[in-house]
Amino acid sequence: MNDQAIQMNEDGSRSTDRRSFLRWIGAAGIGAAGMAAQTSVIASPLLLRAAPATRAGTGDSIARLSSNENPYGLCDAARRAIAAGLDRANRYPIEEYVELKEALSEKHDLDPARIHPGAGSTELLRAAVGAYAAGGRLVAADPTYEDPFYYSPPFEVTQVRVPLDADGAHDLPAMERAASGGARLVYICNPNNPTGTIVDGAQLEAFIRRVSRKALVLVDEAYHDYIEDKRYRSMTPLVREGLPVVVTRTFSKIHGMAGLRLGYALCGTEELADRLHAHLTFAGASVVAIRAGLASLTDVEFQTYCRGKNAKARRFLSAALEERGYRVFPSHTNFVMFRLGTDVRELRKAMAARGVRIGRPFPPMTDHCRVSLGTMAELERFVGELDHWRKARAA
């Protein structure tokens, strides 16, 4: 087995008539336009301004350890599905949209009417802020994935940021106290980006059962597929139970589709799903993205392969950093965060000059560094450059 891709069965697709499509997405969805929002962190001025002044290409000269991407790319079946999907690039992805909802319905045992695909988690998080938090309070950890905060200003959302605990994890008691003050939306990124930490499953479930009586809870499970710790639980059972909960997932991580933009939301009730849908772009994901996603969903072998490679890389990098005296957060994702002890921008600049990209600053933890898990060769290169930087500073 090589590091590039794994063979899988040919993709088999089927079509659904327009009547079924309208029934599943709701008549209100036709022509629904996404509301204006601030630029996502993916293309935010902060991120673009901080990016190294080097050409982003596919060559080996740049080690991309900055954006939590899957370095092993797409599975073979997804590549074939993309090629086949080009023949339908002149058509709107109506049948594909319905087919994806059917596949996700089977995967999660949930009514398709309560499932909404989107152009990555990015579109879904923006839509959630508009649908559930507009004119009210958003409670989230600090730091956590920034997109909900970036999308808040156009919707006149009051941001309530709750510091992480001493272990870099969500402080659930403090977040519950913050939510009791009239919050409309509570955002939980689990595992958390940028620290990579998880919330104990039993504690999170109990938290949601209490807090969802007052506010909607959105659980971002972007890194769900990398987790091996038995303390973790997905909150999808609470969605199936019908609680005021939304869970988001993405194809950007273990499926290697960050550049194709595909994700989905699972909603606890049809009313929540309808509110979310009103803020989503009609058929926002492309034909080729959906076809690639459908193919990748069935390739369990490829997902297992990527999970194993990621776990090995995570152990290597965590051990290398600890050997050098750094405090490393226990990661359950495809990145590792450690306490650098100085402004991370100094290290980012030095690394960029030598062709290695690492994570952006995450206020208020600007003396910490997040490194995405690339290939072993890329991580060995990072460790070597880190040693070079340490020696230069000590001289």
Side-chain angles (χ1 to χ4, degrees):
M1 186 178 296
N2 61 45
D3 285 359
Q4 297 303 315
I6 299 175
Q7 193 76 13
M8 74 169 268
N9 296 328
E10 292 288 336
D11 171 53
S13 60
R14 53 195 169 93
S15 63
T16 304
D17 62 21
R18 185 175 178 84
R19 182 179 300 172
S20 296
F21 172 73
L22 293 174
R23 183 176 71 247
W24 289 34
I25 68 168
I30 303 299
M35 295 180 67
Q38 274 196 334
T39 305
S40 160
V41 66
I42 292 176
S44 70
L46 170 66
L47 182 58
L48 295 179
R49 185 167 60 247
T54 51
R55 186 175 182 272
T58 57
D60 295 332
S61 60
I62 302 296
R64 291 176 56 120
L65 307 177
S66 56
S67 300
N68 304 344
E69 299 156 333
N70 184 339
Y72 302 107
L74 300 169
C75 66
D76 284 349
R79 295 172 186 271
R80 291 194 296 270
I82 289 173
L86 294 176
D87 290 338
R88 281 188 48 78
N90 61 316
R91 305 294 183 187
Y92 292 110
I94 295 174
E95 291 82 3
E96 287 80 4
Y97 188 86
V98 173
E99 189 175 355
L100 179 59
K101 284 166 70 77
E102 288 177 338
L104 295 172
S105 172
E106 182 175 351
K107 175 179 174 68
H108 294 289
D109 188 24
L110 191 68
D111 186 339
R114 290 159 61 186
I115 301 173
H116 284 308
S121 292
T122 304
E123 182 189 16
L124 296 163
L125 295 178
R126 181 203 58 78
V129 170
Y132 309 130
R137 301 176 72 202
L138 163 67
V139 175
D142 188 30
T144 191
Y145 186 55
E146 310 101 316
D147 266 19
F149 291 135
Y150 280 121
Y151 298 133
S152 295
F155 298 108
E156 299 182 351
V157 173
T158 299
Q159 301 177 8
V160 181
R161 301 174 182 242
V162 180
L164 297 173
D165 65 20
D167 297 320
H170 284 74
D171 187 338
L172 293 184
M175 293 191 74
E176 186 169 356
R177 290 192 295 272
S180 66
R184 290 190 180 176
L185 179 64
V186 177
Y187 173 71
I188 304 283
C189 185
N190 190 37
N192 188 45
N193 181 9
T195 55
T197 54
I198 58 171
V199 180
D200 177 86
Q203 293 178 15
L204 181 56
E205 179 179 337
F207 168 87
I208 291 175
R209 289 189 181 281
R210 293 190 302 269
V211 171
S212 64
R213 300 170 188 164
K214 310 168 187 176
L216 185 138
V217 181
L218 191 157
V219 185
D220 183 346
E221 296 184 351
Y223 301 94
H224 165 84
D225 297 291
Y226 290 113
I227 300 173
E228 299 174 322
D229 195 307
K230 293 182 178 179
R231 294 174 301 160
Y232 169 84
R233 290 185 202 168
S234 169
M235 292 298 110
T236 51
L238 299 188
V239 173
R240 286 192 291 271
E241 190 177 324
L243 293 182
V245 176
V246 174
V247 170
T248 57
R249 295 277 184 89
T250 182
F251 285 80
S252 295
K253 306 307 175 185
I254 206 163
H255 295 283
M257 291 176 50
L260 288 173
R261 314 308 304 131
L262 184 64
Y264 60 94
L266 308 172
C267 302
T269 66
E270 286 196 35
E271 189 271 338
L272 288 175
D274 290 344
R275 285 169 60 188
L276 182 68
H277 187 263
H279 288 259
L280 290 170
T281 304
F282 167 63
S286 70
V287 167
V288 294
I290 294 176
R291 289 205 169 198
L294 284 166
S296 193
L297 276 176
T298 65
D299 196 337
V300 177
E301 185 182 4
F302 179 75
Q303 295 168 42
T304 301
Y305 169 74
C306 290
R307 188 178 300 111
K309 299 288 285 187
N310 185 81
K312 181 180 178 181
R314 188 168 56 206
R315 288 191 297 269
F316 165 79
L317 182 57
S318 296
L321 292 168
E322 288 171 351
E323 288 170 1
R324 286 157 177 78
Y326 293 112
R327 183 199 178 196
V328 181
F329 288 115
S331 175
H332 303 270
T333 62
N334 65 341
F335 57 85
V336 169
M337 190 180 210
F338 65 99
R339 186 176 183 277
L340 183 64
T342 190
D343 194 320
V344 71
R345 287 171 291 189
E346 178 186 342
L347 178 61
R348 290 186 84 246
K349 182 178 180 181
M351 286 282 179
R354 300 176 71 88
V356 178
R357 296 182 181 178
I358 57 175
R360 59 191 178 274
F362 288 89
M365 299 173 66
T366 55
D367 63 342
H368 286 66
C369 176
R370 191 196 70 183
V371 181
S372 302
L373 298 175
T375 64
M376 285 298 296
E378 289 173 326
L379 294 178
E380 288 169 354
R381 179 177 172 185
F382 165 76
V383 171
E385 295 296 351
L386 179 63
D387 286 342
H388 175 83
W389 176 77
R390 284 158 53 94
K391 290 177 181 177
R393 292 185 86 239

